[in-house]
Amino acid sequence: MINLTDNITKLPGISDKRAALYKKMGVETVGELITHYPRGYIDFTSPIAIGNISGEENAVIRAFVSKKMRPYLGKITVYKLMLTDESGSITGTFFNGEYNYTRLILGREYIFYGRVSVNQFGQEIINPIYIPVDEVNKLIPKYRLTAGLSQAIVSANIKTAFDLLKEFPFSDLPEEIREEYSLLSHGEAMVKIHFPASSEESNVAKRSLVFKELLILQLGLAMIRSRNRKLTGAQMGLKSEQKQLEGFYSTLPFKPTNAQIRAVNDCIRDMGKQIPMNRLLQGDVGSGKTMVAAALAYYADLNGFQTALMVPTEILANQHYKSLVDFLEPHGIKTVLITGGMSAAEKRERRALIKSGEAGVVVGTHALIQKGVEFASLGLVVTDEQHRFGVGQRSELISKGANPHTLVMSATPIPRTLGLIIYGDLDISLLDEMPKGRLPIKTYGVNSSYRERIYKFIINHVNEGRQAYIVCPLIEESMVSEKTGAVKYYNELRESWFRQIPTGLLHGRMKQTEKDTVMEKFKGGEIMVLVSTTVIEVGVDVPNSVVMLIENAEQFGLSQLHQLRGRVGRGSEQSYCILITDSDSPYTKARIDTMSETSDGFEIAGKDLELRGPGDFFGKKQHGLPLMKIGDMTSDTLILEETQSLARNIIKDDPELSENVELRQLVAELFKETSEYGFN
Ligand code: ADP
Ligand code: MG
């Protein structure tokens, strides 16, 4: 007998060598093996003619075994058969495939599915899966594989696991729900998704698993939401607000855009209500989100409330702190910074200012949500570049006030439906207008033969007093990869091309104080060229920078390239983004072309989604939600809607799931890696 947590090597048929292959796909335990769900099923019903096979591809063919060749004996014995249909013949090859070789009968017709490979002997279909022609409707699962594993092996191993698992220790959704929505029990659905007797059966099995997973996710989110839905203790209602804001606007070094004013007014309207504001401020890089946050902090302060601004990195915290000081100190509002890198004494001092209410605005990283931080009267919580925070972290901060208002600022355009699911019933303000006088950034994709010309180009700009970024994908050059390492790159540049140019280095493994110093110097113009890893990706704002050079551009996704490019083009000078790559993959080319053709963040995100597929785009890193094993938030929209409304109904009657213990446990389990949710 075996357990879900046992290593798969406990299963007969899984050697250490095979287990290592599974590990490559993230499968180590029996539980992980049986949740290695099929990605679909082989369609044996529409074979193609052998004569029409064009190259290396996965193909289904319907053919007779027309000849059995003599096996090549060796360390690996190779068994070959000739497979023939009306249009031609192809070799069927089985490595160590004695069993299949004997089982396939000369002169009989089968349907085969497998990878076709082309070599000096012609076309071969390698280790195909096959069924007799009268079993054409049989459903055989297609699994994600790695070299050395085949569909048949994975399927057989999963079968063994089910045979040895004495009972299914899975918790089920309550019976009433399963009945109402026609769902199978978890165990039954698990077996049937791997070994369905018909396509209806596989559909019901999949629906049952997806439904359960998404329902639990939605319940967790609904719980967080209902905790935030109580009346606010920070209703702000100054009558003369507009006039007061004129006072703020008049001290700005620029004229706010109409979009900025509109966004500020949207928020002020929300903050006057009894229910806390829950708004998303969406604006492309450079659209001026920080100023909106500052205006609201100013307004909250007028009403006697504190504002907290939480950002994902220390570099950003420092930068926002400085911007807010510039925006707010003229109005006598004290702004403080609190980050993880600070000494205990510094933190203590800041905490005292926050607790006494002397600090009107607090900017910080995760340090903001730590235990010792208490606010005198927290009325507004702003999170920047929100997709990097878990939903739970936001609610942690919210719980430090009396249901304060929240504003989430993001440059990542999220499809509206998905936004609703991740953030709840959000209202949205769009900054759809760039500050005046910005020139579009000129973007070029080149190969490395242009590198020296680009260095000269950068040097010319530096001589005119402008600054530049050079971004490299890795910190150190590693043996296994030719990706450019920032440290080595920096050292080489300093000794060659940039000997006369004040050049700095920034990467994630530097100490916080070192990073701060470098950023400080770059802002102040003491450093003119900054060689960096992607630590500068989000939010960094140095308007005097006009060149962004990205090395090994093929290493970056589209949205990331767009974020990086957004570091330039922030002032009135013409800016340039140069993408260096020697990759000729069509995927890289598509990204470079998109970058050269458009600067619209929404368009780029759409393209990114198209190129990468939803799983990656909305991976855990992006939104901080637990990973779905089978449910796909972008394609299972019907089930998503069903589960969302069911979850809301359940939570309405039982906000903490205290009467639905089974569900509560399932929620706690799904969210267990994000302990800050507090569902246990
Ligand atoms: P993001 O939306 O990417 O966070 P920022 O708030 O960092 O953008 O603003 C980008 C730059 O534009 C900053 O230097 C900021 O001071 C400037 N800026 C913001 N609003 C305006 C405006 N209305 N006119 C001119 N410059 C502005
Ligand atoms: Mg920003």
Side-chain angles (χ1 to χ4, degrees):
M1 215 186 84
I2 51 160
N3 293 310
L4 289 179
T5 50
D6 284 338
N7 196 286
I8 49 173
T9 48
K10 269 205 153 182
L11 294 172
I14 301 194
S15 61
D16 287 351
K17 212 167 122 207
R18 186 168 283 176
L21 299 177
Y22 273 113
K23 194 171 171 186
K24 280 195 201 163
M25 301 192 294
V27 173
E28 293 184 67
T29 64
V30 173
E32 284 160 355
L33 178 65
I34 61 175
T35 51
H36 190 67
Y37 295 121
R39 291 196 297 183
Y41 301 89
I42 299 167
D43 179 9
F44 288 104
T45 59
S46 33
I48 65 165
I50 292 174
N52 285 347
I53 294 174
S54 52
E56 311 231 329
E57 57 181 309
N58 286 322
V60 175
I61 56 169
R62 181 178 172 132
F64 291 93
V65 177
S66 55
K67 190 175 165 193
K68 286 185 159 189
M69 279 80 108
R70 190 176 315 152
Y72 300 92
L73 299 173
K75 211 157 116 203
I76 294 176
T77 309
V78 184
Y79 295 87
K80 296 197 179 209
L81 305 151
M82 182 73 78
L83 310 175
T84 305
D85 70 5
E86 285 157 10
S87 68
S89 293
I90 188 169
T91 309
T93 302
F94 292 94
F95 295 106
N96 283 339
E98 189 181 357
Y99 170 74
N100 292 307
Y101 183 80
T102 346
R103 209 162 72 129
L104 286 162
I105 298 164
L106 193 65
R108 206 171 272 184
E109 193 179 22
Y110 300 87
I111 309 174
F112 298 87
Y113 165 83
R115 176 106 198 133
V116 174
S117 115
V118 185
N119 54 37
Q120 73 259 43
F121 308 115
Q123 288 179 326
E124 284 183 296
I125 185 162
I126 311 285
N127 290 332
I129 292 172
Y130 55 90
I131 52 169
V133 284
D134 54 352
E135 288 179 22
V136 58
N137 286 321
K138 192 162 175 178
L139 286 178
I140 295 196
K142 261 197 277 192
Y143 293 102
R144 188 161 60 84
L145 296 176
T146 187
L149 287 175
S150 69
Q151 303 293 353
I153 294 175
V154 174
S155 185
N157 291 153
I158 291 175
K159 176 104 186 10
T160 313
F162 278 120
D163 289 346
L164 294 180
L165 271 174
K166 242 223 181 113
E167 52 200 23
F168 292 131
F170 308 116
S171 23
D172 270 315
L173 290 178
E175 187 111 28
E176 313 89 75
I177 295 182
R178 277 192 285 141
E179 248 162 50
E180 188 176 344
Y181 291 88
S182 319
L183 308 172
L184 304 178
S185 74
H186 195 89
E188 197 179 350
M190 292 276 278
V191 175
K192 290 194 169 156
I193 198 159
H194 291 291
F195 308 105
S198 63
S199 58
E200 289 81 68
E201 212 171 87
S202 72
N203 288 341
V204 177
K206 174 154 191 226
R207 176 179 148 80
S208 303
L209 294 172
V210 172
F211 192 99
K212 180 179 170 198
E213 195 172 54
L214 291 180
L215 177 64
I216 303 304
L217 175 73
Q218 290 299 329
L219 280 170
L221 294 177
M223 275 167 86
I224 296 172
R225 223 168 277 147
S226 84
R227 288 176 187 177
N228 298 342
R229 184 74 51 74
K230 296 157 197 147
L231 295 186
T232 178
Q235 198 177 356
M236 303 183 194
L238 274 188
K239 294 238 164 50
S240 54
E241 68 229 19
Q242 291 304 338
K243 219 152 96 226
Q244 299 280 3
L245 277 166
E246 284 308 323
F248 174 77
Y249 292 144
S250 69
T251 59
L252 292 174
F254 46 72
K255 195 170 167 304
T257 63
N258 291 326
Q260 284 170 321
I261 294 177
R262 220 180 307 125
V264 171
N265 290 343
D266 286 346
C267 295
I268 286 184
R269 217 177 312 116
D270 288 358
M271 296 194 299
K273 295 183 183 158
Q274 287 185 312
I275 304 287
M277 167 168 83
N278 188 20
R279 188 171 280 276
L280 172 67
L281 177 63
Q282 220 173 57
D284 209 345
V285 282
S287 58
K289 295 185 285 294
T290 318
M291 186 229 94
V292 174
L296 297 176
Y298 170 85
Y299 180 70
D301 185 78
L302 288 182
N303 282 274
F305 289 102
Q306 292 168 297
T307 296
L309 172 60
M310 184 159 75
V311 300
T313 66
E314 303 219 348
I315 292 178
L316 267 189
N318 272 298
Q319 176 186 295
H320 276 73
Y321 166 70
K322 297 212 179 71
S323 313
L324 289 185
V325 167
D326 289 346
F327 284 134
L328 298 171
E329 301 252 286
H331 303 280
I333 300 171
K334 177 146 189 71
T335 303
V336 303
L337 175 69
I338 185 158
T339 63
M342 285 178 166
S343 72
E346 277 174 309
K347 279 192 204 153
R348 210 175 309 122
E349 182 213 318
R350 311 291 156 95
R351 285 203 292 256
L353 291 172
I354 299 168
K355 192 171 177 184
S356 71
E358 210 174 313
V361 178
V362 187
V363 182
T365 54
H366 294 95
L368 262 179
I369 56 179
Q370 279 164 1
K371 284 238 157 49
V373 184
E374 288 170 47
F375 289 81
S377 59
L378 179 60
L380 172 64
V381 168
V382 183
T383 48
D384 194 13
E385 309 298 347
Q386 139 75 23
H387 56 284
R388 304 203 165 211
F389 292 112
V391 186
Q393 284 167 330
R394 194 153 39 103
S395 63
E396 191 81 7
L397 186 50
I398 291 167
S399 70
K400 289 183 183 286
N403 272 309
H405 303 283
T406 58
L407 180 70
V408 169
M409 306 200 290
S410 175
T412 312
I414 301 155
R416 202 185 143 73
T417 45
L418 197 69
L420 289 180
I421 288 146
I422 298 175
Y423 302 125
D425 306 313
L426 277 181
D427 298 302
I428 299 179
S429 293
L430 268 183
L431 289 186
D432 51 3
E433 179 189 356
M434 283 288 173
K436 292 230 164 42
R438 298 261 175 90
L439 297 166
I441 303 165
K442 293 188 174 161
T443 301
Y444 306 96
V446 299
N447 63 32
S448 53
S449 72
Y450 283 77
R451 192 173 281 123
E452 305 205 329
R453 274 163 66 181
I454 298 163
Y455 289 157
K456 285 185 204 156
F457 182 76
I458 290 179
I459 291 168
N460 285 339
H461 279 89
V462 170
N463 288 337
E464 285 169 18
R466 307 280 159 228
Q467 290 165 285
Y469 297 96
I470 302 180
V471 175
C472 304
L474 275 183
I475 299 174
E476 297 287 357
E477 202 98 15
S478 68
M479 298 293 288
V480 287
S481 122
E482 287 173 23
K483 283 181 242 167
T484 312
V487 173
K488 183 158 176 245
Y489 192 100
Y490 165 77
N491 288 332
E492 282 172 6
L493 266 188
R494 292 252 312 199
E495 283 158 25
S496 56
W497 283 89
F498 287 20
R499 213 171 288 146
Q500 316 287 336
I501 306 282
T503 305
L505 173 68
L506 189 71
H507 62 71
R509 281 198 226 142
M510 284 161 58
K511 281 211 204 81
Q512 192 53 45
T513 49
E514 293 170 338
K515 283 192 233 170
D516 292 346
T517 314
V518 171
M519 272 322 289
E520 207 60 42
K521 286 187 174 166
F522 189 61
K523 280 207 142 182
E526 264 180 81
I527 289 174
M528 297 300 279
V529 177
L530 186 61
V531 176
S532 167
T533 59
T534 52
V535 288
I536 57 141
E537 177 188 341
V538 277
V540 168
D541 182 42
V542 180
N544 191 43
S545 313
V546 297
V547 184
M548 165 61 69
L549 168 59
I550 301 176
E551 288 281 357
N552 290 81
E554 76 282 353
Q555 297 291 328
F556 300 96
L558 255 183
S559 296
Q560 209 177 8
L561 289 173
H562 180 63
Q563 277 288 335
L564 287 169
R565 177 170 62 182
R567 298 313 110 217
V568 298
R570 303 190 143 237
S572 52
E573 296 294 315
Q574 176 65 55
S575 289
Y576 304 86
C577 174
I578 299 156
L579 307 168
I580 299 191
T581 178
D582 289 327
S583 155
D584 48 15
S585 99
Y587 176 53
T588 301
K589 193 171 174 321
R591 277 179 290 170
I592 306 270
D593 287 349
T594 306
M595 286 294 292
S596 316
E597 282 156 19
T598 178
S599 56
D600 181 328
F602 277 86
E603 208 178 314
I604 287 178
K607 195 79 194 170
D608 202 14
L609 186 59
E610 196 182 297
L611 287 173
R612 288 209 272 174
D616 191 11
F617 190 76
F618 296 111
K620 189 173 167 122
K621 274 206 294 260
Q622 294 290 338
H623 52 55
L625 293 178
L627 273 184
M628 299 286 93
K629 206 65 203 163
I630 186 165
D632 180 338
M633 286 188 267
T634 53
S635 67
D636 293 320
T637 39
L638 267 179
I639 304 184
L640 197 50
E641 280 165 20
E642 266 180 310
T643 53
Q644 189 171 49
S645 68
L646 175 60
R648 289 186 180 178
N649 281 333
I650 296 173
I651 294 296
K652 205 167 69 203
D653 298 336
D654 183 13
E656 288 293 322
L657 292 177
S658 32
E659 288 155 33
N660 287 278
V661 185
E662 298 146 290
L663 289 177
R664 194 185 159 87
Q665 257 161 19
L666 286 166
V667 171
E669 206 176 300
L670 180 67
F671 284 77
K672 70 171 177 287
E673 274 166 39
T674 28
S675 57
E676 73 267 23
Y677 289 92
F679 285 145
N680 299 309

